[in-house]
Amino acid sequence: MPTDSPAPADTPRTPPAPAAQVPAPAPERAAHRDPGPGPTLRDPGGPATEAPRGYRAVFAVAEFRAVFAAHLLSLLGVVVSELALTVLVYDLTGSPLLSALTFALGLLPYIVGGTLFAGVADRYPARRVLVVCDLLCAACVAVMLVPATPVAGLLALRCLVAAIAPVFTGTRMAALTDILGEGDLYVLGRSLLRIVSQSAMLIGFGAGGVLLTVLSPRGAITVTVVTFLCSAALLRFGTRDRPARATATATGDGGGTLLKESLSGARLVLGDRRIRALMLLFWLPAMFVVAPEALAAPYADAIGAPPAALGLLLCAMAVGHIGAELFVGSALSPRNRSRIVLPAAAVGLLPLLVYVVRPGLPLALAALALAGAGAAYVIGLDQWFVDAVPQELRGRAMTLLTAGLMTVQGLGMALAGLAAEFFPVHQVVAGSGIIGTVCTLLLVAEVRRTAPGRMSDTEGRDGADRHVTSR
């Protein structure tokens, strides 16, 4: 299941004793600090070697390798199935609207699943939730393969898979804090999963196109069933079984229904001023930055670019994001990654202002790559978010974060398309950059005001406390 999220969590709290063995792992909740030089490990009879750091340190954790492989497999499968299902629906109906709706249904149900079922992420053991989600999605896709399944059934199953996705992703994000700790390894682990997501979109659509030249659409969809099952197996046998993060009693519902628990979790998360501001900082820039991708086809036509230009316009932002995230994750310390969060978020949408002059293909590609690079601020924001959310709410908070992120991107695409009905495409993209920058600057000011030490704990909890007492 895609989307995106016990080993040392950061550098050890105390220096390892000079001995001929590997030091014991640090506690799973490690202090968040700027790590110094990696600890030196000695192999008996051999030279001293430095412990892996950065992304290498994340891959040194066996459980993360299983999570990473499962994410890669299922994400590739989903991308292939989206393309194949779109072709299948078009073959069955001949309707461009229903074919396009197949893609839209991959985004719209996120808010439903993320709001109504978020309680699952904290109420049940993470490994069980992840495996069951994968198996449910495999079953849904398997039903799509039945020739007797009507088009309405195909679309309903697509909705169900999309509703399960935020629960899976939020649970995995919360589980990463158990696997990697809450320090720098968690941040880099989340970064790797994002990079995989961006890369899989590029590779998956290409692979799907190749598969559809040799297989029928249903044959290509079969690949997704296999990837879901492989993902479930990797998570079941490659990760530890840990207890549930919180019980109904711990969340204040006294054994209430899952729906009540999910909705109360959403109220608690959004009622906390600090958490709400950080969540909006994930959502708001993402809502505006999708405009050039949503309007790539009409813009390519407007500037008279060749058909191949459309693929370049769709890939440029992802390439910029991948490159910047790799650089920030590997070259900057945790302290410096934290320092660039607000400046990078504030200017991340400014490259879209180039569209004011209706740029040609080379300049447009450069602007899109820079806008994608601006999204690297989320590496530091990940650490702020996990520090701000109480452990017993973490699964629900991250499920809501994922659901909201996908929903606002879908909304942003729809609004950009609507605006392009009345204004030239290049003006819509430039307007998205201007409006998005103004809104982000206001949000950056709110994040600064809610920073630890800038407001009292009572002030930060006021919204959440009101919700608690109103139940």
Side-chain angles (χ1 to χ4, degrees):
M1 191 69 216
T3 25
D4 183 330
S5 196
D10 204 329
T11 52
R13 293 180 185 272
T14 57
Q21 58 183 14
V22 178
E28 289 191 353
R29 181 178 179 88
H32 174 224
R33 57 185 178 85
D34 193 13
T40 297
L41 307 181
R42 290 188 179 274
D43 183 32
T49 59
E50 186 174 300
R53 300 183 62 194
Y55 289 120
R56 288 178 57 213
V58 180
F59 278 119
V61 180
E63 281 189 273
F64 178 79
R65 294 198 297 271
V67 172
F68 181 87
H71 177 62
L72 177 60
L73 278 173
S74 60
L75 185 58
L76 285 173
V78 166
V79 173
V80 169
S81 71
E82 285 179 346
L83 182 59
L85 187 60
T86 301
V87 174
L88 176 60
V89 170
Y90 185 75
D91 287 346
L92 292 174
T93 65
S95 169
L97 174 61
L98 289 176
S99 179
L101 188 60
T102 305
F103 268 114
L105 290 177
L107 295 176
L108 299 180
Y110 262 74
I111 192 63
V112 177
T115 302
L116 301 184
F117 308 131
V120 171
D122 289 320
R123 197 173 199 181
Y124 301 100
R127 187 177 73 176
R128 186 190 308 171
V129 173
L130 296 176
V131 172
V132 170
C133 284
D134 266 339
L135 294 178
L136 286 174
C137 289
C140 291
V141 177
V143 176
M144 294 180 188
L145 300 176
V146 178
T149 305
V151 171
L154 293 174
L155 297 179
L157 291 166
R158 181 77 180 95
C159 285
L160 185 55
V161 171
I164 295 171
V167 178
F168 179 95
T169 305
T171 303
R172 186 188 61 207
M173 288 169 62
L176 279 184
T177 61
D178 298 324
I179 295 171
L180 299 174
E182 299 176 10
D184 194 44
L185 287 189
Y186 166 79
V187 173
L188 294 179
R190 286 277 296 129
S191 172
L192 281 170
L193 295 184
R194 268 195 303 270
I195 291 169
V196 168
S197 298
Q198 293 285 338
S199 303
M201 295 298 291
L202 304 179
I203 299 170
F205 282 125
V210 172
L211 280 175
L212 288 172
T213 64
V214 296
L215 297 174
S216 67
R218 280 194 168 92
I221 292 173
T222 305
V223 174
T224 304
V225 179
V226 176
T227 58
F228 277 138
L229 293 176
C230 290
S231 174
L234 282 166
L235 293 169
R236 171 61 181 81
F237 299 106
T239 61
R240 284 174 48 194
D241 188 19
R242 295 177 173 86
R245 192 171 298 278
T247 63
T249 302
T251 55
D253 288 317
T257 66
L258 176 62
L259 178 59
K260 283 180 60 179
E261 190 173 326
S262 299
L263 293 176
S264 67
R267 288 196 297 268
L268 289 170
V269 169
L270 295 176
D272 185 285
R273 183 179 174 187
R274 173 67 174 172
I275 298 174
R276 183 175 63 244
L278 296 177
M279 194 171 284
L280 288 172
L281 196 57
F282 280 105
W283 291 349
L284 196 63
M287 178 178 177
F288 290 98
V289 81
V290 297
E293 292 182 322
L295 302 175
Y299 187 74
D301 181 64
I303 62 175
L310 178 58
L312 294 175
L313 289 170
L314 290 172
C315 293
M317 197 173 292
V319 171
H321 187 176
I322 293 169
E325 185 134 2
L326 282 171
F327 172 78
V328 172
S330 58
L332 298 186
S333 67
R335 182 177 301 166
N336 287 331
R337 290 199 294 267
S338 182
R339 286 173 176 169
I340 69 169
V341 170
L342 297 183
V347 303
L349 295 170
L350 290 180
L352 299 186
L353 271 61
V354 170
Y355 274 77
V356 168
V357 298
R358 198 169 177 263
L361 184 61
L363 186 56
L365 292 175
L368 292 174
L370 285 174
Y377 76 92
V378 297
I379 301 183
L381 188 58
D382 276 334
Q383 184 66 66
W384 292 3
F385 191 73
V386 78
D387 288 343
V389 178
Q391 184 175 1
E392 66 274 9
L393 281 175
R394 195 165 291 155
R396 282 168 287 179
M398 292 182 174
T399 300
L400 186 62
L401 172 63
T402 301
L405 185 60
M406 298 300 290
T407 302
V408 298
Q409 288 182 89
L411 180 61
M413 290 179 179
L415 290 176
L418 178 63
E421 291 289 327
F422 303 97
F423 302 98
V425 171
H426 70 282
Q427 292 182 6
V428 173
V429 176
S432 296
I434 295 170
I435 298 172
T437 297
V438 172
C439 293
T440 303
L441 287 172
L442 295 174
L443 185 55
V444 163
E446 172 66 4
V447 172
R448 287 187 184 278
R449 283 192 292 269
T450 62
R454 295 290 295 273
M455 68 174 187
S456 67
D457 291 341
T458 301
E459 181 184 356
R461 290 194 305 265
D462 277 349
D465 288 344
R466 281 195 296 271
H467 289 302
V468 170
T469 55
S470 66
R471 287 204 308 274

